[in-house]
Amino acid sequence: MPSLTRDEARQRAQLISVNRMEVDLDLDRGSENFGSTTRISFSCSTPGEATFLDVRSVSTESVTLNGAEIAPDTIVDGRLPLADLAADNTVEVVATMAFSRDGQGLHRSTDPADGEDYVYGHLFLDAAPTVFACFDQPDLKAPYAFTVRVPRDWVVLGNGRATQSSPGTWELSETLPLATYFVTVCAGPYVSVRDEHDGIPLGIHARRSLQRELEHHAPQMFEVTKQSFDHYHRTFDVRYPFGDYDQVFVPEFNAGAMENPGCVTFRDTMLYRGAVAREQILQRSNTIAHEMAHMWFGDLVTMRWWDDLWLNESFAEFMAYTATSRATEFTDSWVEFGISRKQWGYAAERAPSTHPVAGSPAPDARSALSNFDGISYAKGASVLRQLVTHVGEEAFNAGVTAYLRSHEHGNGELSEFLAAMEQTHGSPLDAWSAAWLETAGVDVIALDRDGTMTRTSPADHPADRPHSLDVAGFTDGNEVFRAALTLDEAEVAVDGVDPAAAVLLPNAADLTWAMVDLDEASLAALPSELARIQDPIARSVLWGAVLTGVFRGTVDPGVALDTFTAVWPHERNDALMTRVALAFTDRIVPQFVPSELVDAAKGRVAGAALMSFQGAEPGSDQALVAARVLAATTSDEDRLGAWVEGRSLPTGLEGDSDFRWVVVRTMARLGLADESFIAAVAAEDTTLSGHLAALGARAARPGAAEKEWAWSQITQNRQLSNYELNALATGFWSSGTLEDLRPYAARYVTDIPRLAQWVGADALDRVAALAFPAPVVESETVDLVREAIARPDVPAGVRRSMADELSKLEEALTSRARWS
């Protein structure tokens, strides 16, 4: 199917305006297909001209335009030509559509816990035509009115308030103008918890089998929802406009969440069913605040085209962390941002696919999918923090409000946002925008002992980015100096630097977007100094400098591992514990440590986890995170056997099925869990989570026959859902000898692109990343992937995933060449 181009969208928007969408869905036709009838009222600025409608159906029963029939077979590649338009038009399309299994369009999932089916709409990017006929582009917004027929024991939720008009028939009230990509309908035997705040009806919904978890977590989620509403109303001075506010936790969701106006959808793994660390609640709270920010940035005012994606995601990211840090109990949320989101963004900047925050090329809709990355989110949010410092918070908030009010229920772009900001700031922002928003690349900053601060821009993307930041020094854990500055030249002198400080830290408050190079003395002092520093943001920046240093080849992985084993057992922030451990277990140890030293390095990580676990207060967040890392890394068969049997479990993890599956997967990787063992554990956990965990454990078994089974499931089983593919791909590369795994590097480049025949782009891009042969750190792997990237038959999204993962592999090869 061709993807809508920017030029086509511009031409269609100049010709037509969509006035109203009426959609009738019949979801009571079985598990494969559903009925879709769409009536669209639209105007044409030049009567007599032609355009096209987007329809991707199983079959199209009838089409009429202004009462005249159009042959359904005129639809070619998902486009229905509409000729000889009048000034005012009505088109009706009656079609049969297919439920999806890849998380796109109208996804239907069966809950193995009770056999119940659930449906949700995820029309993100270009999936709307698989649900109803439409003019599918973000700047042709229209009000929607839905009628939905479902089995009688189902309930329906959507963008408008849902009312059951008769048994099995639901009406959704007409909405304000919406872009096609955030229209949704959710249907099934969902259970609900309801509340109200400031005149806004609130609802949280989930699968029936998750009712206990829903009711347990709802009070905290409602609290964050209410706090976020209050914060945004104060900040924007524009009230939430979309009526009810429902939050629906749905199965097998590709994204973390989706900002459908009035009906936000979330992946239901966020309804944690076992022990929960504070960092997990923070992540979910931040996601709640992020999706709510979209009600203004994205929903009320929508980007005109996908090259201004940052107007949605950068703002939602920045506003969410601002909201959680100021309006909720998570006053330290920027710590998690620094070690999690910024590390994601820095990796995207180092990849060959790096791009500007704003104006990133999106010649067609599908290519825009690649830009939903750490640059559009984390870098964009960091750049907005710099903008607030540059113009002042009062001028920034006033500019935001002016932009929202002048474009509400419409569309905007970079130039219009800057115009609003310049009016409140009083000075031009074109040079600032060119440097920060419109040029790719990340600077590297460093502080020398003589007080010289340096800024190095990437050669491929030179820019004069002014950094507002601070620097600090620490000795024996105490802060011995801190100085604020503007780094607007390649080199500046900083007053007040104490050259005797054990650790010198550029960007100590993590205010700017820059990778940090530590001087040799500071790096050498980290094993004794890092754990003693009280400021968690400073520790986040230091941990981040170690990680990015390894990935950039400037820090010896052995030195990084020494720092980890000395410091991590004493780390107190569970977000730092979780993300740093993940970096070591997922990348540094398996890729950057020489192959002959990997087992010893894994043992050192497990030893650090054991030390942390034994030194933590039982039941604390530190103990929980340490227990999970220990369960994932230990080779202690007695400990694993006891834990899987429910004996001697850490406090708070008694009966925790998710923790048990971590243990089972480790046993599978070690060759201690055969099929009958995994099946026995799965029989005691018949939930969707248990089913997926069992698949991951099966794929994690190291034998040649087991790897062949897992790979054939990933690449040949067309019945698997997006989540089942992810579980198998994640487990596959976690074990096995290089001799057994090496052939699959060649099979990866041929087999994975073929999945595009039955897996949607959004889901396939994720599978392509997870299934990448990351442990085969060899030049032959590089050659194989480079050849595949050059092939014209490889889908663009898969090519992007391959290229990004390849850049990580090349980082590992470069590091090994230097430090081994």
Side-chain angles (χ1 to χ4, degrees), residues 320-362:
Y321 278 96
T322 303
T324 51
S325 64
R326 294 186 178 180
T328 77
E329 66 178 285
F330 302 104
T331 55
D332 59 345
S333 61
W334 287 110
V335 176
E336 189 269 343
F337 177 80
I339 198 62
S340 174
R341 308 298 279 184
K342 290 184 81 170
Q343 290 299 313
W344 174 39
Y346 290 148
E349 286 274 49
R350 297 193 304 272
S353 56
T354 185
H355 57 85
V357 172
S360 182

mmCIF file of all heavy atoms in Angstrom, residues 320-362:
data_model
loop_
_atom_site.group_PDB
_atom_site.id
_atom_site.type_symbol
_atom_site.label_atom_id
_atom_site.label_comp_id
_atom_site.label_asym_id
_atom_site.label_seq_id
_atom_site.Cartn_x
_atom_site.Cartn_y
_atom_site.Cartn_z
ATOM 1 N N ALA A 320 5.086 16.505 31.127
ATOM 2 C CA ALA A 320 4.812 15.412 32.058
ATOM 3 C C ALA A 320 5.825 15.398 33.201
ATOM 4 O O ALA A 320 5.454 15.280 34.379
ATOM 5 C CB ALA A 320 4.827 14.087 31.314
ATOM 6 N N TYR A 321 7.104 15.504 32.867
ATOM 7 C CA TYR A 321 8.107 15.494 33.942
ATOM 8 C C TYR A 321 8.005 16.748 34.804
ATOM 9 O O TYR A 321 8.246 16.702 36.016
ATOM 10 C CB TYR A 321 9.509 15.331 33.367
ATOM 11 C CG TYR A 321 9.835 13.888 33.062
ATOM 12 C CD1 TYR A 321 9.665 13.373 31.786
ATOM 13 C CD2 TYR A 321 10.283 13.032 34.059
ATOM 14 C CE1 TYR A 321 9.947 12.041 31.500
ATOM 15 C CE2 TYR A 321 10.564 11.702 33.790
ATOM 16 C CZ TYR A 321 10.392 11.216 32.513
ATOM 17 O OH TYR A 321 10.665 9.900 32.241
ATOM 18 N N THR A 322 7.617 17.858 34.186
ATOM 19 C CA THR A 322 7.381 19.064 34.978
ATOM 20 C C THR A 322 6.220 18.854 35.928
ATOM 21 O O THR A 322 6.271 19.225 37.115
ATOM 22 C CB THR A 322 7.111 20.264 34.060
ATOM 23 O OG1 THR A 322 8.222 20.435 33.171
ATOM 24 C CG2 THR A 322 6.930 21.538 34.868
ATOM 25 N N ALA A 323 5.149 18.231 35.425
ATOM 26 C CA ALA A 323 3.966 18.003 36.258
ATOM 27 C C ALA A 323 4.271 17.046 37.402
ATOM 28 O O ALA A 323 3.910 17.314 38.561
ATOM 29 C CB ALA A 323 2.817 17.458 35.399
ATOM 30 N N THR A 324 4.924 15.926 37.106
ATOM 31 C CA THR A 324 5.176 14.969 38.182
ATOM 32 C C THR A 324 6.139 15.534 39.220
ATOM 33 O O THR A 324 5.990 15.271 40.420
ATOM 34 C CB THR A 324 5.729 13.639 37.626
ATOM 35 O OG1 THR A 324 6.845 13.899 36.768
ATOM 36 C CG2 THR A 324 4.659 12.890 36.845
ATOM 37 N N SER A 325 7.107 16.333 38.790
ATOM 38 C CA SER A 325 8.074 16.872 39.752
ATOM 39 C C SER A 325 7.480 17.981 40.605
ATOM 40 O O SER A 325 7.931 18.204 41.731
ATOM 41 C CB SER A 325 9.317 17.387 39.021
ATOM 42 O OG SER A 325 9.005 18.476 38.177
ATOM 43 N N ARG A 326 6.453 18.660 40.096
ATOM 44 C CA ARG A 326 5.901 19.804 40.824
ATOM 45 C C ARG A 326 4.546 19.537 41.477
ATOM 46 O O ARG A 326 4.198 20.208 42.451
ATOM 47 C CB ARG A 326 5.753 20.998 39.875
ATOM 48 C CG ARG A 326 7.070 21.552 39.370
ATOM 49 C CD ARG A 326 6.864 22.807 38.549
ATOM 50 N NE ARG A 326 8.130 23.371 38.091
ATOM 51 C CZ ARG A 326 8.237 24.472 37.358
ATOM 52 N NH1 ARG A 326 7.132 25.129 36.995
ATOM 53 N NH2 ARG A 326 9.412 24.917 36.988
ATOM 54 N N ALA A 327 3.784 18.606 40.942
ATOM 55 C CA ALA A 327 2.399 18.459 41.402
ATOM 56 C C ALA A 327 2.115 17.122 42.061
ATOM 57 O O ALA A 327 1.015 16.921 42.571
ATOM 58 C CB ALA A 327 1.441 18.659 40.216
ATOM 59 N N THR A 328 3.075 16.185 42.043
ATOM 60 C CA THR A 328 2.836 14.872 42.636
ATOM 61 C C THR A 328 3.910 14.576 43.678
ATOM 62 O O THR A 328 4.818 15.372 43.910
ATOM 63 C CB THR A 328 2.856 13.764 41.555
ATOM 64 O OG1 THR A 328 4.220 13.475 41.187
ATOM 65 C CG2 THR A 328 2.080 14.179 40.305
ATOM 66 N N GLU A 329 3.829 13.400 44.253
ATOM 67 C CA GLU A 329 4.838 12.992 45.237
ATOM 68 C C GLU A 329 6.200 12.728 44.612
ATOM 69 O O GLU A 329 7.213 12.657 45.303
ATOM 70 C CB GLU A 329 4.376 11.714 45.949
ATOM 71 C CG GLU A 329 4.291 10.503 45.030
ATOM 72 C CD GLU A 329 3.878 9.236 45.753
ATOM 73 O OE1 GLU A 329 4.728 8.675 46.470
ATOM 74 O OE2 GLU A 329 2.714 8.817 45.598
ATOM 75 N N PHE A 330 6.241 12.607 43.283
ATOM 76 C CA PHE A 330 7.485 12.230 42.603
ATOM 77 C C PHE A 330 8.302 13.480 42.269
ATOM 78 O O PHE A 330 8.556 13.795 41.102
ATOM 79 C CB PHE A 330 7.175 11.412 41.360
ATOM 80 C CG PHE A 330 6.386 10.161 41.657
ATOM 81 C CD1 PHE A 330 5.027 10.092 41.365
ATOM 82 C CD2 PHE A 330 6.995 9.082 42.259
ATOM 83 C CE1 PHE A 330 4.296 8.956 41.654
ATOM 84 C CE2 PHE A 330 6.270 7.941 42.564
ATOM 85 C CZ PHE A 330 4.912 7.873 42.259
ATOM 86 N N THR A 331 8.720 14.170 43.293
ATOM 87 C CA THR A 331 9.454 15.418 43.110
ATOM 88 C C THR A 331 10.829 15.194 42.482
ATOM 89 O O THR A 331 11.452 16.138 41.996
ATOM 90 C CB THR A 331 9.629 16.117 44.469
ATOM 91 O OG1 THR A 331 10.260 15.212 45.392
ATOM 92 C CG2 THR A 331 8.266 16.522 45.033
ATOM 93 N N ASP A 332 11.298 13.941 42.480
ATOM 94 C CA ASP A 332 12.613 13.616 41.915
ATOM 95 C C ASP A 332 12.499 12.962 40.543
ATOM 96 O O ASP A 332 13.408 12.258 40.105
ATOM 97 C CB ASP A 332 13.374 12.681 42.860
ATOM 98 C CG ASP A 332 12.623 11.368 43.111
ATOM 99 O OD1 ASP A 332 11.416 11.300 42.795
ATOM 100 O OD2 ASP A 332 13.240 10.417 43.625
ATOM 101 N N SER A 333 11.400 13.199 39.835
ATOM 102 C CA SER A 333 11.176 12.477 38.575
ATOM 103 C C SER A 333 12.229 12.784 37.523
ATOM 104 O O SER A 333 12.487 11.969 36.634
ATOM 105 C CB SER A 333 9.779 12.781 38.024
ATOM 106 O OG SER A 333 9.621 14.163 37.737
ATOM 107 N N TRP A 334 12.882 13.967 37.602
ATOM 108 C CA TRP A 334 13.917 14.284 36.620
ATOM 109 C C TRP A 334 15.127 13.366 36.761
ATOM 110 O O TRP A 334 15.928 13.244 35.815
ATOM 111 C CB TRP A 334 14.345 15.744 36.738
ATOM 112 C CG TRP A 334 13.313 16.711 36.225
ATOM 113 C CD1 TRP A 334 12.552 17.572 36.966
ATOM 114 C CD2 TRP A 334 12.938 16.938 34.857
ATOM 115 N NE1 TRP A 334 11.720 18.308 36.148
ATOM 116 C CE2 TRP A 334 11.938 17.942 34.846
ATOM 117 C CE3 TRP A 334 13.341 16.375 33.641
ATOM 118 C CZ2 TRP A 334 11.344 18.397 33.673
ATOM 119 C CZ3 TRP A 334 12.746 16.827 32.462
ATOM 120 C CH2 TRP A 334 11.760 17.826 32.489
ATOM 121 N N VAL A 335 15.295 12.700 37.906
ATOM 122 C CA VAL A 335 16.372 11.719 38.046
ATOM 123 C C VAL A 335 16.119 10.565 37.080
ATOM 124 O O VAL A 335 17.022 10.136 36.338
ATOM 125 C CB VAL A 335 16.455 11.199 39.497
ATOM 126 C CG1 VAL A 335 17.514 10.097 39.610
ATOM 127 C CG2 VAL A 335 16.756 12.336 40.451
ATOM 128 N N GLU A 336 14.917 10.054 37.074
ATOM 129 C CA GLU A 336 14.564 8.964 36.158
ATOM 130 C C GLU A 336 14.677 9.420 34.718
ATOM 131 O O GLU A 336 15.135 8.662 33.845
ATOM 132 C CB GLU A 336 13.139 8.482 36.470
ATOM 133 C CG GLU A 336 12.724 7.216 35.737
ATOM 134 C CD GLU A 336 12.054 7.494 34.400
ATOM 135 O OE1 GLU A 336 11.620 8.657 34.179
ATOM 136 O OE2 GLU A 336 11.954 6.570 33.581
ATOM 137 N N PHE A 337 14.285 10.661 34.432
ATOM 138 C CA PHE A 337 14.416 11.199 33.086
ATOM 139 C C PHE A 337 15.870 11.150 32.624
ATOM 140 O O PHE A 337 16.175 10.742 31.498
ATOM 141 C CB PHE A 337 13.901 12.642 33.059
ATOM 142 C CG PHE A 337 14.061 13.332 31.730
ATOM 143 C CD1 PHE A 337 13.171 13.101 30.701
ATOM 144 C CD2 PHE A 337 15.115 14.218 31.513
ATOM 145 C CE1 PHE A 337 13.314 13.735 29.474
ATOM 146 C CE2 PHE A 337 15.269 14.856 30.295
ATOM 147 C CZ PHE A 337 14.365 14.616 29.272
ATOM 148 N N GLY A 338 16.780 11.544 33.508
ATOM 149 C CA GLY A 338 18.181 11.606 33.133
ATOM 150 C C GLY A 338 18.788 10.252 32.849
ATOM 151 O O GLY A 338 19.563 10.098 31.889
ATOM 152 N N ILE A 339 18.467 9.245 33.634
ATOM 153 C CA ILE A 339 19.116 7.947 33.476
ATOM 154 C C ILE A 339 18.364 7.050 32.514
ATOM 155 O O ILE A 339 18.941 6.098 31.961
ATOM 156 C CB ILE A 339 19.267 7.241 34.840
ATOM 157 C CG1 ILE A 339 20.329 6.122 34.748
ATOM 158 C CG2 ILE A 339 17.931 6.699 35.335
ATOM 159 C CD1 ILE A 339 21.719 6.592 34.394
ATOM 160 N N SER A 340 17.115 7.340 32.248
ATOM 161 C CA SER A 340 16.318 6.492 31.358
ATOM 162 C C SER A 340 16.070 7.161 30.017
ATOM 163 O O SER A 340 16.585 6.737 28.983
ATOM 164 C CB SER A 340 14.988 6.141 32.033
ATOM 165 O OG SER A 340 14.137 5.447 31.144
ATOM 166 N N ARG A 341 15.319 8.245 30.031
ATOM 167 C CA ARG A 341 14.905 8.870 28.775
ATOM 168 C C ARG A 341 16.088 9.507 28.043
ATOM 169 O O ARG A 341 16.214 9.379 26.826
ATOM 170 C CB ARG A 341 13.816 9.913 29.045
ATOM 171 C CG ARG A 341 12.638 9.403 29.845
ATOM 172 C CD ARG A 341 11.898 8.305 29.142
ATOM 173 N NE ARG A 341 10.984 8.839 28.136
ATOM 174 C CZ ARG A 341 10.151 8.082 27.410
ATOM 175 N NH1 ARG A 341 10.152 6.773 27.565
ATOM 176 N NH2 ARG A 341 9.350 8.630 26.513
ATOM 177 N N LYS A 342 16.959 10.190 28.779
ATOM 178 C CA LYS A 342 18.077 10.841 28.104
ATOM 179 C C LYS A 342 19.070 9.828 27.548
ATOM 180 O O LYS A 342 19.643 10.041 26.469
ATOM 181 C CB LYS A 342 18.782 11.827 29.038
ATOM 182 C CG LYS A 342 17.942 13.062 29.344
ATOM 183 C CD LYS A 342 18.678 14.086 30.187
ATOM 184 C CE LYS A 342 19.592 14.948 29.355
ATOM 185 N NZ LYS A 342 20.121 16.100 30.131
ATOM 186 N N GLN A 343 19.271 8.728 28.235
ATOM 187 C CA GLN A 343 20.148 7.696 27.689
ATOM 188 C C GLN A 343 19.583 7.137 26.384
ATOM 189 O O GLN A 343 20.324 6.843 25.438
ATOM 190 C CB GLN A 343 20.354 6.573 28.713
ATOM 191 C CG GLN A 343 21.195 6.987 29.912
ATOM 192 C CD GLN A 343 22.600 7.409 29.524
ATOM 193 O OE1 GLN A 343 23.281 6.731 28.756
ATOM 194 N NE2 GLN A 343 23.035 8.552 30.037
ATOM 195 N N TRP A 344 18.267 6.987 26.336
ATOM 196 C CA TRP A 344 17.582 6.569 25.099
ATOM 197 C C TRP A 344 17.832 7.600 24.001
ATOM 198 O O TRP A 344 18.154 7.258 22.855
ATOM 199 C CB TRP A 344 16.095 6.423 25.405
ATOM 200 C CG TRP A 344 15.183 6.141 24.249
ATOM 201 C CD1 TRP A 344 15.413 5.321 23.185
ATOM 202 C CD2 TRP A 344 13.873 6.677 24.060
ATOM 203 N NE1 TRP A 344 14.317 5.309 22.341
ATOM 204 C CE2 TRP A 344 13.366 6.129 22.861
ATOM 205 C CE3 TRP A 344 13.073 7.554 24.797
ATOM 206 C CZ2 TRP A 344 12.089 6.442 22.374
ATOM 207 C CZ3 TRP A 344 11.807 7.866 24.321
ATOM 208 C CH2 TRP A 344 11.324 7.309 23.126
ATOM 209 N N GLY A 345 17.717 8.865 24.337
ATOM 210 C CA GLY A 345 17.917 9.919 23.357
ATOM 211 C C GLY A 345 19.351 10.041 22.897
ATOM 212 O O GLY A 345 19.624 10.246 21.703
ATOM 213 N N TYR A 346 20.303 9.926 23.813
ATOM 214 C CA TYR A 346 21.710 9.999 23.422
ATOM 215 C C TYR A 346 22.062 8.860 22.460
ATOM 216 O O TYR A 346 22.855 9.041 21.525
ATOM 217 C CB TYR A 346 22.615 9.945 24.653
ATOM 218 C CG TYR A 346 22.567 11.174 25.539
ATOM 219 C CD1 TYR A 346 22.750 11.078 26.915
ATOM 220 C CD2 TYR A 346 22.342 12.433 24.999
ATOM 221 C CE1 TYR A 346 22.723 12.199 27.739
ATOM 222 C CE2 TYR A 346 22.308 13.564 25.811
ATOM 223 C CZ TYR A 346 22.493 13.435 27.179
ATOM 224 O OH TYR A 346 22.459 14.551 27.988
ATOM 225 N N ALA A 347 21.487 7.678 22.708
ATOM 226 C CA ALA A 347 21.728 6.559 21.788
ATOM 227 C C ALA A 347 21.189 6.876 20.402
ATOM 228 O O ALA A 347 21.817 6.556 19.385
ATOM 229 C CB ALA A 347 21.080 5.286 22.337
ATOM 230 N N ALA A 348 20.021 7.517 20.345
ATOM 231 C CA ALA A 348 19.450 7.900 19.049
ATOM 232 C C ALA A 348 20.317 8.935 18.358
ATOM 233 O O ALA A 348 20.451 8.931 17.124
ATOM 234 C CB ALA A 348 18.032 8.433 19.247
ATOM 235 N N GLU A 349 20.935 9.832 19.115
ATOM 236 C CA GLU A 349 21.820 10.841 18.528
ATOM 237 C C GLU A 349 23.087 10.202 17.956
ATOM 238 O O GLU A 349 23.639 10.675 16.963
ATOM 239 C CB GLU A 349 22.210 11.876 19.588
ATOM 240 C CG GLU A 349 21.106 12.852 19.957
ATOM 241 C CD GLU A 349 21.052 14.049 19.032
ATOM 242 O OE1 GLU A 349 21.060 13.858 17.793
ATOM 243 O OE2 GLU A 349 21.012 15.182 19.548
ATOM 244 N N ARG A 350 23.573 9.140 18.583
ATOM 245 C CA ARG A 350 24.793 8.486 18.089
ATOM 246 C C ARG A 350 24.529 7.619 16.872
ATOM 247 O O ARG A 350 25.453 7.229 16.165
ATOM 248 C CB ARG A 350 25.422 7.628 19.202
ATOM 249 C CG ARG A 350 25.892 8.418 20.417
ATOM 250 C CD ARG A 350 26.785 7.566 21.313
ATOM 251 N NE ARG A 350 26.148 6.333 21.736
ATOM 252 C CZ ARG A 350 25.396 6.196 22.812
ATOM 253 N NH1 ARG A 350 25.158 7.240 23.597
ATOM 254 N NH2 ARG A 350 24.872 5.024 23.137
ATOM 255 N N ALA A 351 23.252 7.289 16.626
ATOM 256 C CA ALA A 351 22.904 6.406 15.516
ATOM 257 C C ALA A 351 22.948 7.163 14.191
ATOM 258 O O ALA A 351 22.796 8.385 14.157
ATOM 259 C CB ALA A 351 21.507 5.830 15.742
ATOM 260 N N PRO A 352 23.119 6.454 13.083
ATOM 261 C CA PRO A 352 23.140 7.125 11.777
ATOM 262 C C PRO A 352 21.808 7.764 11.420
ATOM 263 O O PRO A 352 21.766 8.640 10.550
ATOM 264 C CB PRO A 352 23.497 5.995 10.807
ATOM 265 C CG PRO A 352 23.145 4.728 11.525
ATOM 266 C CD PRO A 352 23.376 5.004 12.969
ATOM 267 N N SER A 353 20.752 7.372 12.086
ATOM 268 C CA SER A 353 19.421 7.916 11.791
ATOM 269 C C SER A 353 19.111 9.172 12.588
ATOM 270 O O SER A 353 17.957 9.628 12.595
ATOM 271 C CB SER A 353 18.350 6.857 12.084
ATOM 272 O OG SER A 353 18.467 6.401 13.423
ATOM 273 N N THR A 354 20.110 9.749 13.259
ATOM 274 C CA THR A 354 19.838 10.968 14.018
ATOM 275 C C THR A 354 19.193 12.025 13.123
ATOM 276 O O THR A 354 19.422 12.059 11.913
ATOM 277 C CB THR A 354 21.129 11.514 14.645
ATOM 278 O OG1 THR A 354 20.812 12.631 15.473
ATOM 279 C CG2 THR A 354 22.124 11.956 13.588
ATOM 280 N N HIS A 355 18.401 12.883 13.721
ATOM 281 C CA HIS A 355 17.655 13.878 12.958
ATOM 282 C C HIS A 355 17.373 15.074 13.852
ATOM 283 O O HIS A 355 17.499 14.992 15.078
ATOM 284 C CB HIS A 355 16.339 13.278 12.444
ATOM 285 C CG HIS A 355 15.460 12.738 13.538
ATOM 286 N ND1 HIS A 355 14.584 13.524 14.260
ATOM 287 C CD2 HIS A 355 15.329 11.488 14.050
ATOM 288 C CE1 HIS A 355 13.954 12.782 15.152
ATOM 289 N NE2 HIS A 355 14.393 11.545 15.057
ATOM 290 N N PRO A 356 16.973 16.202 13.279
ATOM 291 C CA PRO A 356 16.637 17.358 14.113
ATOM 292 C C PRO A 356 15.390 17.093 14.952
ATOM 293 O O PRO A 356 14.567 16.237 14.622
ATOM 294 C CB PRO A 356 16.384 18.474 13.090
ATOM 295 C CG PRO A 356 16.996 18.003 11.823
ATOM 296 C CD PRO A 356 16.911 16.515 11.841
ATOM 297 N N VAL A 357 15.250 17.856 16.021
ATOM 298 C CA VAL A 357 14.033 17.759 16.825
ATOM 299 C C VAL A 357 12.826 18.188 15.992
ATOM 300 O O VAL A 357 11.801 17.495 15.944
ATOM 301 C CB VAL A 357 14.140 18.647 18.083
ATOM 302 C CG1 VAL A 357 12.812 18.708 18.827
ATOM 303 C CG2 VAL A 357 15.236 18.131 19.007
ATOM 304 N N ALA A 358 12.935 19.324 15.327
ATOM 305 C CA ALA A 358 11.831 19.875 14.533
ATOM 306 C C ALA A 358 12.186 19.813 13.061
ATOM 307 O O ALA A 358 13.352 19.901 12.673
ATOM 308 C CB ALA A 358 11.556 21.321 14.944
ATOM 309 N N GLY A 359 11.158 19.672 12.241
ATOM 310 C CA GLY A 359 11.379 19.675 10.808
ATOM 311 C C GLY A 359 12.102 18.452 10.304
ATOM 312 O O GLY A 359 12.683 18.463 9.221
ATOM 313 N N SER A 360 12.062 17.364 11.084
ATOM 314 C CA SER A 360 12.710 16.144 10.617
ATOM 315 C C SER A 360 11.988 15.632 9.386
ATOM 316 O O SER A 360 10.759 15.564 9.372
ATOM 317 C CB SER A 360 12.673 15.083 11.718
ATOM 318 O OG SER A 360 13.330 13.916 11.305
ATOM 319 N N PRO A 361 12.718 15.278 8.352
ATOM 320 C CA PRO A 361 12.061 14.908 7.096
ATOM 321 C C PRO A 361 11.056 13.776 7.266
ATOM 322 O O PRO A 361 11.372 12.735 7.847
ATOM 323 C CB PRO A 361 13.233 14.470 6.214
ATOM 324 C CG PRO A 361 14.421 15.155 6.775
ATOM 325 C CD PRO A 361 14.179 15.224 8.250
ATOM 326 N N ALA A 362 9.833 13.997 6.804
ATOM 327 C CA ALA A 362 8.788 12.982 6.791
ATOM 328 C C ALA A 362 8.059 13.107 5.459
ATOM 329 O O ALA A 362 6.944 13.627 5.393
ATOM 330 C CB ALA A 362 7.821 13.165 7.965
#
